[in-house]
Amino acid sequence: MLQGITLWIREMRAHERVNPLGLATVLDPAQLLVAFAKNQADSLAVAEESLREGVLSCVLIDISRPLNLREGRRLQLAAKAGGTTGLCLIPEGMGSNAAETRWRVRPAFDAEKGDSTLMHWEIIKNKSGTIGVWDVQWSQKARCVHVVSPVGLRPGAKGTTG
């Protein structure tokens, strides 16, 4: 469960709305701030300042166009300076060369158990470590995600033996 305030930055033209109550299992809805910016340039400016200040526990930003190296690096430096976790929600295939890590996450519904919390997480880019695949599941009792089964390291990844 996230402790402290989380800021989610979205562009005004985003059609989907965030439902804070839908996130209640991972954060206190009262601790979620949603900011709407005019465009991605404004979103990036808000994210950078928020990360640098170090008063938030997490800053999420929805990306509507690929980040260039300068934009990505500025966000990285701001997050490091403020000690704040920053997450960019990037549509599949858009990417950013400046990302420290890049994850692909998709649902892995288990029809047998009727469990909608099972997810397939794949780290497809990691500048400083291993890339791999995991099936994870949300535990309501423990209020955290845990690995159901490590699918394994990707071929050629650092740390693989073959």
Side-chain angles (χ1 to χ4, degrees), residues 148-161:
V148 175
S149 64
V151 179
L153 297 174
R154 291 182 40 196
K158 295 178 191 175
T160 60
T161 56

Side-chain angles (χ1 to χ4, degrees), residues 41-113:
D42 288 350
S43 294
L44 291 169
V46 170
E48 184 179 343
E49 289 302 315
S50 300
L51 289 165
R52 182 170 281 110
E53 288 301 315
V55 297
L56 300 170
S57 64
C58 184
V59 175
L60 294 128
I61 179 172
D62 281 314
I63 301 297
S64 59
R65 66 164 172 76
L67 295 179
N68 62 40
L69 287 172
R70 182 185 58 78
E71 292 167 332
R73 186 67 177 145
R74 289 179 66 104
L75 291 174
Q76 286 176 342
L77 292 172
K80 187 173 184 176
T84 305
T85 299
L87 298 172
C88 293
L89 303 177
I90 302 173
E92 180 73 32
M94 190 180 295
S96 168
N97 290 330
E100 283 292 317
T101 63
R102 186 173 299 129
W103 294 78
R104 181 178 294 127
V105 178
R106 66 178 197 265
F109 184 73
D110 184 347
E112 206 172 279
K113 295 180 182 177

Side-chain angles (χ1 to χ4, degrees), residues 2-21:
L2 286 174
Q3 301 297 316
I5 298 172
T6 297
L7 174 63
W8 194 332
I9 306 161
R10 311 195 72 215
E11 289 185 38
M12 280 191 230
R13 64 185 170 145
H15 298 289
E16 309 83 19
R17 294 294 176 219
V18 175
N19 178 359
L21 295 178

